[in-house]
Amino acid sequence: MNAKYLKSAFLACSLLAAGTAQAIPELQLYLEGATYDGGSETWVLNGGPLRLWAIGNVAGPGNKGSIFDVKLSIAYADGLAPTFTLTPSTTGGLGGFTDPSTPGAAVFSQTVTNGSAPLLGDGSSLPTHGIYGSGTDWTEFKLGDFTLTDSPIGDFITSFPTPGAGDANKAQINVYDIAISGVAANTPFHFDLYDHYFTQQNDAKYINAPFSHDAGGTSGTTGTTGTTGTTGTTGTTGQTGTTGQTGQIPEPGIILLFGTGLLGLAFSSRRVAS
């Protein structure tokens, strides 16, 4: 290969790498006040109120357009019986992330206690990434479609991003104040976000927030289970899980204390480039 072709190939690879580096995941999670744990590659908040951001990259770099039927799962130790109340809120302009729209109510979907992982819309399992399986229960909420472009976009990895002028009107950010009752204070919980967008060929592509963009925190109050309503109450029905998605790359592991036992939470470090 002569120098001309070598130069062209190098330029093409450089442009491809630059484009990949600038891409932002379709879905991300962030907890206000959390610290980014580089070992587990997740936002971690120990104590304090839980204000969760569910971020949809609708029109930013690497976007695939609107994201449909978005779901949030909250994982916790088997044997617990938490009740979750998700109150819609906004970013309040924190860090320059304006958010003029309050999301609709998060709708309780189900609580699963059979050791399976959440299912995506095509019937495949959300990769367990050391979270789901025997010893873990989870509760799922429906957040609806992410179609708005009224908030800035940023890559919530390593540190809280600062949106630039070109980042405006790219994303939909749903913020929820999460109250958890029926469990002891400082009980750990883990959050996952998932479902699908449509390709140009109108095929559904099922996705989840990369495990490098997950969130986990400790919360809870002593006493009996509290409020019910659109958030529902915990149940006992479950799903039969299927084998996980292929091509998932294991990530560095972490261990968090769940209830009175240790539950391995090995978070994946890959960043999905869908």
Side-chain angles (χ1 to χ4, degrees):
M1 184 179 291
N2 61 34
K4 177 180 179 181
Y5 291 121
L6 283 172
K7 182 177 180 180
S8 298
F10 176 78
L11 178 60
C13 290
S14 298
L15 291 174
L16 178 62
T20 302
Q22 294 173 356
I24 296 175
E26 291 93 344
L27 291 170
Q28 303 180 83
L29 286 166
Y30 168 69
L31 277 169
E32 283 191 21
T35 299
Y36 191 81
D37 186 327
S40 62
E41 294 190 310
T42 191
W43 289 100
V44 177
L45 181 66
N46 293 315
L50 297 178
R51 280 180 51 83
L52 183 73
W53 295 20
I55 305 158
N57 178 11
V58 178
N63 82 89
K64 301 299 188 297
S66 297
I67 308 164
F68 299 95
D69 198 24
V70 177
K71 299 180 181 69
L72 172 73
S73 69
I74 309 175
Y76 45 91
D78 182 33
L80 299 180
T83 293
F84 303 95
T85 301
L86 277 64
T87 303
S89 185
T90 68
T91 64
L94 179 67
F97 281 86
T98 55
D99 179 23
S101 57
T102 302
V107 179
F108 170 79
S109 175
Q110 60 184 328
T111 289
V112 176
T113 61
N114 63 5
S116 65
L119 297 182
L120 305 182
D122 62 352
S124 63
S125 293
L126 180 74
T128 61
H129 61 104
I131 303 297
Y132 301 96
S134 178
T136 300
D137 299 341
W138 50 274
T139 298
E140 182 181 70
F141 294 88
K142 297 179 180 179
L143 306 187
D145 300 337
F146 282 42
T147 61
L148 300 178
T149 54
D150 59 0
S151 298
I153 191 65
D155 195 346
F156 285 76
I157 187 169
T158 306
S159 62
F160 188 93
T162 300
D167 297 325
N169 301 323
K170 302 291 185 182
Q172 177 173 330
I173 302 177
N174 285 15
V175 179
Y176 303 95
D177 290 307
I178 302 180
I180 305 174
S181 60
V183 295
N186 300 318
T187 299
F189 294 90
H190 175 83
F191 303 92
D192 279 295
L193 198 63
Y194 47 95
D195 220 74
H196 67 279
Y197 64 87
F198 288 101
T199 67
Q200 292 182 347
Q201 292 73 36
N202 205 35
D203 296 324
K205 175 71 173 179
Y206 291 88
I207 57 174
N208 54 270
F211 306 138
S212 55
H213 291 72
D214 270 354
T218 60
S219 188
T221 57
T222 56
T224 58
T225 54
T227 60
T228 60
T230 57
T231 59
T233 58
T234 55
T236 58
T237 58
Q239 301 168 325
T240 301
T242 60
T243 56
Q245 291 176 308
T246 59
Q248 302 298 334
I249 302 174
E251 300 197 13
I254 60 168
I255 297 178
L256 291 178
L257 179 63
F258 263 24
T260 59
L262 291 177
L263 176 64
L265 300 181
F267 293 89
S268 300
S269 61
R270 71 173 178 85
R271 298 179 59 196
V272 174
S274 304

